[in-house]
Amino acid sequence: MNAEGLESFREFVDSRSSALLRTAVLLCGGDRHAGEDLLQNALVRAAGRWQRIDEPEAYVRRILYRQQVSRWRLKWPRREVSVAEPPDPAETGAPPADTAAAADLRLVMRQALSRLTARQRTVLVLRYFEDLPEADVARILGCSVGTVRSTTHRSLARLRSLAPELAALGEAEAERLPSRDYSPVEVRP
């Protein structure tokens, strides 16, 4: 990679790594260390082809999704590596403290997502966190739109049954928002 390409890669990593890390952590079920590993591997792969990539962020996100799919297709799960001492929280780049309600919601959501299968979690992250249309999710995962729809439906149903506390937290969050006059919308399955 030439000096210009190296500089553009560094700028990309500096500007987009936070958002990419959030996606990677969600894809890994809330495991920050696994998310960091996933992102690092994706960036290493992208660096090798950096000069030929037209849309860098889309390319790196596609690598993230495909690597995560490959991980949950493995027959044997990878083992964790033990370290002598846990890392210092100040060095890990942990975010500053949020309000208690937001932290509760985040913890409950992470725990609920971790109880889903990797495929269910991936579909929900792509559909609702990344806000991708069903056709794009199907293309990324290499399946049909119908499979994405059915997996989304089953994943949301399982999420509701595994974590009914999400409904209570969501209602509490809605009560804190300024009231607006919304007309009711009928939702059909």
Side-chain angles (χ1 to χ4, degrees):
M1 184 182 314
N2 62 22
E4 183 181 313
L6 183 60
E7 184 60 31
S8 85
F9 181 72
R10 283 184 181 154
E11 288 174 10
F12 172 77
V13 171
D14 287 342
S15 66
R16 300 306 304 154
S17 62
S18 301
L20 292 168
L21 179 60
R22 281 191 300 270
T23 300
V25 169
L26 284 171
L27 287 171
C28 292
D31 184 350
R32 182 173 176 88
H33 297 291
E36 289 171 350
D37 289 345
L38 183 67
L39 178 59
Q40 182 177 3
N41 290 336
L43 290 174
V44 166
R45 287 185 180 207
R49 301 183 52 95
W50 188 252
Q51 307 254 280
R52 295 174 290 214
I53 299 173
D54 293 331
E55 296 179 36
E57 186 160 355
Y59 187 82
V60 172
R61 287 183 186 277
R62 190 173 305 119
I63 293 171
L64 284 173
Y65 305 139
R66 289 186 176 167
Q67 280 186 333
Q68 184 60 18
V69 167
S70 295
R71 282 184 178 184
W72 48 261
R73 284 184 178 162
L74 288 175
K75 188 171 187 172
W76 301 105
R78 294 183 185 205
R79 303 282 177 181
E80 291 185 12
V81 177
S82 299
V83 293
E85 294 181 30
D88 182 21
E91 294 175 13
T92 61
D98 288 345
T99 63
D104 286 345
L105 180 60
R106 188 171 26 258
L107 288 172
V108 169
M109 180 57 82
R110 262 193 201 154
Q111 192 175 38
L113 283 173
S114 70
R115 292 185 238 167
L116 296 175
T117 66
R119 183 178 188 95
Q120 289 173 329
R121 191 171 44 247
T122 301
V123 168
L124 291 181
V125 167
L126 291 174
R127 283 288 291 132
Y128 298 108
F129 181 75
E130 293 293 326
D131 198 26
L132 293 176
E134 292 168 339
D136 289 351
V137 175
R139 183 180 42 76
I140 288 169
L141 296 179
C143 62
S144 70
V145 173
T147 300
V148 170
R149 288 180 184 158
S150 63
T151 304
T152 302
H153 177 74
R154 283 191 298 263
S155 303
L156 289 174
R158 184 161 185 229
L159 195 62
R160 287 183 195 109
S161 70
L162 290 173
E165 61 271 18
L166 284 176
L169 284 172
E171 290 169 5
E173 186 69 25
E175 289 174 4
R176 284 200 311 258
L177 295 174
S179 65
R180 295 189 178 144
D181 185 25
Y182 293 109
S183 58
V185 176
E186 183 179 337
V187 178
R188 296 181 185 188

